[in-house]
Amino acid sequence: MKRHLLGLCAAAALGLSVLAAAPAARADEMVLKSSDVHPLGYPTVEAVVQMGEKLKAATNGRLTIEMFPSMQLGGEKEAIEQAQLGALAMTRVSVGPMGGIVKELNVLALPFVFRNVDHMHKIIDGAIGDELLADITNSPTSGLVGLAWMDAGARNFYNGKKEIHSVADFAGLKLRTMGNPIFVDMVNALGGNGIAMGYDQLVGALETGVVDGAENNYPSYVSGQHYLYAKYYALTEHLILPEVLVFSRKIWDTLSADDQALIMKLAKEAQQTERTLWQAKEQEALAVMKEKGVVVSEIMDKAAFQAAMKPVWDKYGAEHAAMIERIQAVQ
Ligand code: GTR
């Protein structure tokens, strides 16, 4: 009997020591899953990967970020839903699909709301940017916490049918937009046919001719290989649409205040890291476009494009009037 007991104790001790040595034994360890539609190496992805390395170092491995790039978990609509459910801790998405969730963000989605990319930077880096992130966090229904902004430059129209120089050239073009009614109305107001679909559907739709084209910045146009099917790229710069890193409210509420503050701080650093990476990526993408024979056209009469947006502004601008005024006042 005594021998048997001793044996049991030894086995228990052995079990304990095996457990203690097991790598995943720390009860406080947490892996934060994060997603992005873009591949590894893309600025938004790389900035969050670097944020994960800093988080790991700062917490001695207690908190880590696991990146799911390249639409592994679907498009941005799905990513937002998974973050709301707590299946994902974080996701980096465009403001486009967020507009349906936090209405205040739609002010950033109004065509030509910014004078140029610098103007957009001033807004997202300043008080208005902080307020809009707080709108995400304070929304009782978003299920998300707004962490940081990311730069995505300016978006331009492209298609596989013809060069675009003027608004009249949009007639008859089927053009994909992100899932936000502002963008469908924007294409329709130009005289084209706006079709909303997820980014994950787009390259297939271009290939099969479901759409003739779309609109995006240089890096997405290149990394998504859209140039293979739509070689006419016009510098319309109609949207200077920032992107946003959001955190799952469900998971956020389980974190200590210190961890929340650390994640917030590192996310702000990621915003700056991404900015630097973005600038280099735009130049790289432009070089690829040149090499691939993309036909880039300048838009001489930008004012005509702005004027064509009047119905869009009439429909969606009024509710953001006060914020628009504040944005325009920032020099
Ligand atoms: C990209 C952006 C993505 C996604 C995509 C799209 O520029 O980085 O977040 O919004 O455009 O057009 O859906």
Side-chain angles (χ1 to χ4, degrees), residues 38-49:
H38 296 302
L40 291 174
Y42 198 93
T44 53
V45 182
E46 184 58 25
V48 174
V49 167

Side-chain angles (χ1 to χ4, degrees), residues 186-245:
M186 169 184 79
V187 172
N188 294 346
L190 288 166
N193 181 4
I195 301 171
M197 68 176 75
Y199 195 62
D200 51 324
Q201 306 293 310
L202 175 54
V203 76
L206 285 167
E207 189 177 3
T208 55
V210 168
V211 293
D212 302 314
E215 46 82 59
N216 223 314
N217 49 49
Y218 319 132
S220 290
Y221 174 69
V222 167
S223 111
Q225 299 201 312
H226 303 168
Y227 60 86
L228 293 177
Y229 315 104
K231 70 169 184 173
Y232 301 109
Y233 191 95
L235 301 175
T236 47
E237 298 184 327
H238 53 282
L239 288 176
I240 299 180
L241 189 66
E243 312 195 333
V244 65
L245 184 63

Side-chain angles (χ1 to χ4, degrees), residues 37-38 76 92 94 155 176 178 199 216-217 220 243:
V37 293
H38 296 302
E76 299 199 323
R92 193 288 315 158
S94 171
R155 294 173 74 104
R176 176 268 178 178
M178 284 176 280
Y199 195 62
N216 223 314
N217 49 49
S220 290
E243 312 195 333

Side-chain angles (χ1 to χ4, degrees), residues 167 170 182-194 304-305 307-313:
V167 174
F170 278 78
I182 299 180
F183 305 143
V184 177
D185 286 343
M186 169 184 79
V187 172
N188 294 346
L190 288 166
N193 181 4
F305 279 77
M309 290 302 110
K310 185 167 182 312
V312 179
W313 276 70

Side-chain angles (χ1 to χ4, degrees), residues 8-32:
L8 273 180
C9 288
L14 192 71
L16 276 180
S17 71
V18 165
L19 261 185
R26 278 175 61 180
D28 58 351
E29 266 181 25
M30 201 166 170
V31 178
L32 305 172

